Amino acid sequence: YTTLLRSGTWVDILPLLPSCLTVEDAAILLQQVMRSCNKQSTAMIFGDTIVVSEKFVSSCSTLFNELMHHRAEKEMKNSPVYLVTEEDLKQATFLENVTANKKDKREERKKKATEGSGSTRAGGGGNAREIKIKKNKKIGR
């Protein structure tokens, strides 16, 4: 394990273990080894049985840096992406606040209209009229 970290390579431990052990057993074994070393390990485990040093991963990623930059530039030319700046974010939050304030004002107006209407009908919507109840006089017979 320590030689792996120093050398900057990778190893699949499954072929090194007895054939009676399963992949799950190998994963448990690797976890135990990682815990026992407990120093800030720079190793990563892939597929439960493959241990890779961080040196190896970084050396592989440097091989692809140029290719990734080339593909990123090609993608930018083919489909331009709109750049969002901090200023754009500030304007967006400002607009959200303005629309929220408008909605609040509308709700307050609706609330005042329904409370103060004095309507005797149920519901009392915005177009409700006040209804006067007429008393019918009984005509004596």
Side-chain angles (χ1 to χ4, degrees):
Y1 179 77
T2 55
T3 56
L4 171 87
L5 294 178
R6 283 191 220 123
S7 65
T9 58
W10 65 274
V11 66
D12 184 0
I13 66 159
L14 197 58
L16 304 175
L17 298 175
S19 60
C20 62
L21 295 177
T22 64
V23 174
E24 291 82 17
D25 296 331
I28 293 169
L29 180 65
L30 269 179
Q31 290 174 357
Q32 291 297 326
V33 169
M34 295 285 275
R35 282 191 201 123
S36 66
C37 288
N38 202 17
K39 47 187 166 179
Q40 293 199 354
S41 177
T42 58
M44 293 175 253
I45 300 173
F46 293 104
D48 294 329
T49 62
I50 300 173
V51 183
V52 181
S53 70
E54 192 173 328
K55 280 183 185 178
F56 183 75
V57 173
S58 62
S59 67
C60 288
S61 68
T62 56
L63 295 174
F64 294 100
N65 277 343
E66 188 178 329
L67 177 65
M68 292 306 294
H69 285 293
H70 177 69
R71 286 195 178 173
E73 287 175 4
K74 185 179 175 184
E75 188 64 30
M76 270 185 8
K77 289 176 184 175
N78 290 342
S79 57
V81 177
Y82 296 107
L83 181 65
V84 178
T85 61
E86 268 188 53
E87 214 171 282
D88 295 336
L89 292 174
K90 287 178 184 176
Q91 287 178 353
T93 54
F94 175 73
L95 291 175
E96 287 174 4
N97 290 338
V98 168
T99 55
N101 287 341
K102 284 183 181 179
K103 288 180 182 177
D104 290 342
K105 287 180 183 178
R106 286 180 192 158
E107 288 173 11
E108 285 177 23
R109 272 190 249 129
K110 286 180 182 179
K111 199 178 219 182
K112 285 181 185 177
T114 56
E115 286 175 356
S117 67
S119 173
T120 56
R121 278 198 306 180
N127 294 332
R129 290 185 179 178
E130 192 170 330
I131 300 173
K132 293 181 181 177
I133 301 173
K134 296 181 182 180
K135 294 184 179 179
N136 294 334
K137 292 184 182 179
K138 293 184 180 180
I139 301 173
R141 293 183 185 194

